[in-house]
Amino acid sequence: ERQQQLLRRLNSFRGLERWRDAVVERNALRNGAYGCPLGSLAGELADQDEVARKDIARHFATWEGLLEAGLLRMKDSGVLRADADAAELATGLMAALQGGYLLAQTAQDVKPMRIALDMAIAHVRAYAAPTPDEGSNASGNVPEGEARGR
């Protein structure tokens, strides 16, 4: 429910950063301790209880789906390029988040979580649609100060 509140209107890079900030801040209140409740359940039950594993997987899929829906909104509005695979990017963000939770928990410091999420968001940014003023100028020449042949 908390993730739904944070992600249901995600449609920009700033929105991704606000989500990251909220997740990291919430984890910082506990000095990174305790990790992700859902991830903790997965670690304890996934290999022991098939029904529980499927339920946990469904919750993760819902969470990942919220990220994917936000990335699709970014794609539809032209923030992300058409070739951005929203599902794969969402999986990468979720993996960074869960790994970040685990590293923050063991270090009792949120810095690893922030780094992991920043790297994942940087990867999403690699799919940013070019803005109208990027690239060459109207004459097709390389802008002044840009090296040729790159």
Side-chain angles (χ1 to χ4, degrees):
E1 188 176 307
R2 186 177 316 114
Q3 292 302 312
Q4 188 172 26
Q5 291 172 1
L6 291 169
L7 295 170
R8 69 178 161 204
R9 293 177 294 182
L10 173 67
N11 64 1
S12 67
F13 286 112
R14 184 62 197 125
L16 266 178
E17 292 164 352
R18 281 193 299 270
W19 167 73
R20 178 224 35 228
D21 292 346
V23 171
V24 169
E25 182 179 308
R26 181 163 163 56
N27 205 23
L29 294 173
R30 301 175 299 181
N31 294 322
Y34 312 114
C36 173
L38 192 56
S40 295
L41 281 173
E44 291 178 27
L45 299 174
D47 292 337
Q48 309 298 322
D49 183 332
E50 185 63 12
V51 173
R53 184 197 64 75
K54 287 179 180 178
D55 285 343
I56 294 165
R58 210 171 11 261
H59 284 291
F60 274 125
T62 298
W63 196 352
E64 199 171 312
L66 291 168
L67 285 164
E68 182 180 355
L71 295 167
L72 285 170
R73 283 189 294 276
M74 291 171 69
K75 225 173 128 166
D76 291 345
S77 67
V79 173
L80 291 175
R81 296 189 324 246
D83 66 330
D85 186 323
E88 285 189 9
L89 293 171
T91 298
L93 286 164
M94 181 58 72
L97 175 64
Q98 289 303 308
Y101 265 124
L102 184 62
L103 293 174
Q105 181 180 12
T106 57
Q108 292 203 338
D109 182 357
V110 295
K111 185 177 179 182
M113 174 186 263
R114 181 175 291 119
I115 291 168
L117 288 171
D118 284 347
M119 290 181 77
I121 291 171
H123 182 70
V124 174
R125 277 190 190 281
Y127 289 93
T131 60
D133 60 329
E134 287 180 353
S136 62
N137 58 26
S139 66
N141 295 327
V142 175
E144 190 175 325
E146 290 279 340
R148 294 183 185 273
R150 277 197 221 174

